[in-house]
Amino acid sequence: MAAITPGWLRWVMPPVADLFFVILLGVLVCTPLSVRLLGDAGIGWHIRTGQQILATHAIPRVDPFSSTMQGQPWFAWEWLYDLFAGQLEASLGLNGVVWLTAVVIASVFSLLFRLLTRRGTHIGVAVVLVLLAVSASMIHFLARPHVVSWLFTLIWFAILDGSEQPASPGGERAWSAQRRLWILPVLMLVWVNVHGGFLVGFVLLAIFWLGAAWSWLTANHTRIEDALRKIAARQRALDLALAGALSAAASFVNPYGWNLYRHIYGYLSDRFLMDHIDEFRSPDFHGAAQKCFLALLLVTLAVLAARGRELRLSAVLTILFAVYTGLYASRNIPVSSLLLVMVIGPLTVVPWGERLSEKMTAVECSLRGHLWPIIATVLTFLIAANGGRIGSQSLMDAHFDPKRMPVAAVDFLTQRGGDGTVLTTDFWGGYVIYRMYPQVRVVVDDRHDLYGEKFFKSYLKMERVEPGWEEFLRDHPATYVILPRESALTTMLLATGKRKQLYGDDVAIVLDRGR
């Protein structure tokens, strides 16, 4: 491969994977998409949690942010991400949080392209599949810890899939791939403290273990080649079982031990919460991102129809898992897209340009300087550190969208001064925490696992102005109320005279304590 490209050029010319990284990073930090990354107010309490950890040198065990759950047990299970987000916000403002998110997202899809081409995917097909995966994943392009789970899922799958690839004549490739399995427990030490998506890692481990066990049990050993294949499958199954056991042990190295599993199970098995939290509901295929995911599903069906018999059991189970989870909940679409692309990419057959693609792939693999992603990462960090500016030119301006968040309403309250309790929607709660904690505590925010089913049933009854809606207001008094201007609850409170309007704009109104 060294002969394909001059030595100096191999260290300067960017591979296509690096171009994906640079372009995605630039678009996410220097365009209005930076504001979209802050489209979920929950990042507000993540930031404040991280800063509390930095200030107290302790991981919170009870809720500090709400008036209703203050002092109650709380699982800050994404504390490690919160730590980084809190530090970056304290040092660089919201530009720092957006920079971190953009670097992670750009790394995910750059790595996806690199893995596809190295596994033999036609370079043109790889570009199309990665673009589809990017477009489908935009449904969850948000500054939240789940984006780190995308990266861990991709690395985890690549390691497991590599352990199944055929050995080279000398066996070096198989041995190297098997050794990488011992990276999994180390990755789990970090993953379990970053995001609850670490459970996907165990699902993938189980899938590949079943694939190895199936190959071991069904292999015909009448020929030497088959006997060797059977021995290799048995060893792989044993290695995967041990890697899984070590990863499971590593997952208990978190602030809550085994109680983290109990808490996550209780949360995900609560049918009421799963049915009423938007991101856990099945996707609506009228959106652009959902249509791109649907396109990936159709491509997957086409590949299965053409080459389904060539698939290993692990690939079939991965596809079933990805399709089911993607159709079950919108929040799963990015991970499902990554897994589908990784499985179907190497199976696609392009009848034209094969020789050109092989040459381009060879060049792609020979370029190893990776200079441009490093420059782009450092440059954007320096821009963020300089307030988003280069000289007099503003290139980064990460902020919460005033058309989506109650920015002006909170400005009004902060200028008014004082402290107390604020009742707002669960969607806006994280933003109020970000802007007004510790002077103000919220009645509710989007930490649904903390508040639980009983609380949210009462909250939703109030929000929808259903019979008995006043009970929530009576049980959870608030100094101020911040509500969307056009909500049914706003209309009812004003119509009944129970609250007096202190401030209003096109997005939100502020009401006083009332009678």
Side-chain angles (χ1 to χ4, degrees):
M1 290 193 183
I4 295 175
T5 310
W8 66 271
L9 194 57
R10 292 165 58 205
W11 295 95
V12 176
M13 182 177 175
V16 177
D18 288 358
L19 290 177
F20 265 112
F21 180 93
V22 172
I23 293 171
L24 264 177
L25 180 61
V27 167
L28 290 174
V29 301
C30 297
T31 73
L33 279 178
S34 65
V35 177
R36 176 170 177 163
L37 292 179
L38 295 172
D40 189 325
I43 186 59
W45 62 260
H46 280 290
I47 291 170
R48 296 300 178 227
T49 300
Q51 291 170 350
Q52 185 180 51
I53 294 171
L54 290 167
T56 62
H57 304 288
I59 297 169
R61 305 279 180 163
V62 296
D63 171 43
F65 300 126
S66 76
S67 60
T68 49
M69 295 292 169
Q70 188 174 8
Q72 295 297 312
W74 175 46
F75 287 74
W77 43 333
E78 295 150 333
W79 69 272
L80 189 55
Y81 170 87
D82 297 350
L83 193 66
F84 282 99
Q87 181 60 68
L88 282 170
E89 196 278 340
S91 303
L92 311 179
L94 290 173
N95 282 341
V97 178
V98 164
W99 173 83
L100 173 65
T101 306
V103 168
V104 174
I105 292 176
S107 298
V108 168
F109 295 102
S110 173
L111 178 60
L112 177 62
F113 183 86
R114 191 178 309 280
L115 291 171
L116 285 175
T117 53
R118 288 183 182 273
R119 295 174 68 230
T121 306
H122 186 286
I123 198 165
V125 172
V127 169
V128 172
L129 290 177
V130 171
L131 289 177
L132 276 176
V134 170
S135 301
S137 301
M138 285 188 71
I139 191 175
H140 227 199
F141 269 23
L142 298 167
R144 296 287 294 264
H146 64 273
V147 298
V148 184
S149 257
W150 300 355
L151 184 59
F152 275 99
T153 299
L154 193 55
I155 296 172
W156 199 274
F157 178 86
I159 291 174
L160 290 172
D161 186 68
S163 72
E164 278 197 344
Q165 298 306 312
S168 60
E172 296 86 355
R173 180 180 175 186
W175 172 239
S176 177
Q178 291 302 112
R179 282 191 299 178
R180 292 194 189 100
L181 289 176
W182 312 120
I183 300 174
L184 299 182
V186 179
L187 292 175
M188 183 55 68
L189 282 173
V190 180
W191 199 355
V192 72
N193 291 293
V194 170
H195 188 247
F198 73 91
L199 295 174
V200 173
F202 290 114
V203 174
L204 293 176
L205 261 169
I207 285 173
F208 279 86
W209 181 85
L210 286 171
W214 178 258
S215 298
W216 171 32
L217 295 174
T218 59
N220 186 348
H221 54 277
T222 55
R223 295 185 305 170
I224 294 179
E225 295 86 351
D226 294 333
L228 292 175
R229 219 174 273 121
K230 186 179 183 75
I231 293 171
R234 177 180 178 277
Q235 185 59 49
R236 191 166 65 250
L238 293 174
D239 288 343
L240 286 168
L242 181 55
L246 292 175
S247 298
S251 73
F252 287 97
V253 185
N254 70 78
Y256 312 101
W258 70 272
N259 285 311
L260 178 61
Y261 282 94
R262 184 169 60 86
H263 178 75
I264 293 176
Y265 174 78
Y267 177 41
L268 297 181
S269 62
D270 190 313
R271 296 312 317 157
F272 179 83
L273 292 180
M274 295 300 102
D275 291 341
H276 289 82
I277 299 173
D278 286 342
E279 64 183 18
F280 282 106
R281 302 179 73 177
S282 297
D284 177 357
F285 286 100
H286 291 280
Q290 295 91 328
K291 288 178 181 177
C292 290
F293 179 62
L294 181 60
L296 275 177
L297 293 179
L298 295 176
V299 172
T300 301
L301 287 176
V303 171
L304 287 176
R307 304 189 63 181
R309 294 183 179 180
E310 302 174 30
L311 288 177
R312 302 185 303 270
L313 178 61
S314 59
V316 174
L317 293 177
T318 299
I319 288 175
L320 291 175
F321 171 69
V323 171
Y324 172 76
T325 54
L327 294 178
Y328 177 79
S330 296
R331 65 172 294 147
N332 297 330
I333 284 179
V335 167
S336 296
S337 299
L338 292 172
L339 293 176
L340 289 177
V341 167
M342 283 293 290
V343 174
I344 66 174
L347 295 172
T348 53
V349 177
V350 178
W352 63 89
E354 196 64 40
R355 185 170 300 178
L356 176 61
S357 175
E358 289 177 1
K359 291 182 178 179
M360 292 178 66
T361 302
V363 172
E364 174 81 7
C365 294
S366 71
L367 301 174
R368 58 188 74 230
H370 309 307
L371 184 65
W372 298 106
I374 296 171
I375 292 174
T377 301
V378 173
L379 179 61
T380 50
F381 178 83
L382 293 175
I383 292 172
N386 194 42
R389 309 182 72 84
I390 292 183
S392 60
Q393 182 69 32
S394 177
L395 295 179
M396 292 182 68
D397 182 24
H399 60 275
F400 287 97
D401 187 353
K403 295 181 180 179
R404 185 175 174 84
M405 302 292 172
V407 176
V410 172
D411 287 342
F412 169 81
L413 280 183
T414 54
Q415 292 167 8
R416 186 183 178 93
D419 52 21
T421 303
V422 169
L423 170 62
T424 187
T425 65
D426 59 327
F427 179 72
W428 281 352
Y431 177 75
V432 175
I433 291 171
Y434 173 71
R435 291 288 308 277
M436 305 188 75
Y437 178 81
Q439 288 76 25
V440 165
R441 284 178 169 79
V442 296
V443 173
V444 63
D445 58 86
D446 67 351
R447 293 172 295 160
H448 304 100
D449 59 316
L450 168 67
Y451 293 96
E453 176 182 340
K454 182 179 178 181
F455 181 93
F456 265 97
K457 281 183 176 178
S458 178
Y459 165 77
L460 289 175
K461 185 185 295 184
M462 175 205 66
E463 185 184 48
R464 297 168 181 174
V465 196
E466 296 174 349
W469 63 274
E470 294 174 297
E471 294 177 5
F472 187 91
L473 293 171
R474 185 177 63 250
D475 295 340
H476 307 291
T479 311
Y480 299 104
V481 177
I482 303 177
L483 293 174
R485 169 169 284 281
E486 303 301 328
S487 73
L489 180 59
T490 300
T491 302
M492 182 62 75
L493 288 174
L494 292 176
T496 57
K498 294 183 178 298
R499 297 265 177 168
K500 183 176 69 174
Q501 180 173 329
L502 299 176
Y503 170 84
D505 57 36
D506 292 339
V507 177
I509 67 167
V510 178
L511 306 174
D512 70 356
R513 183 188 297 275
R515 299 193 300 272

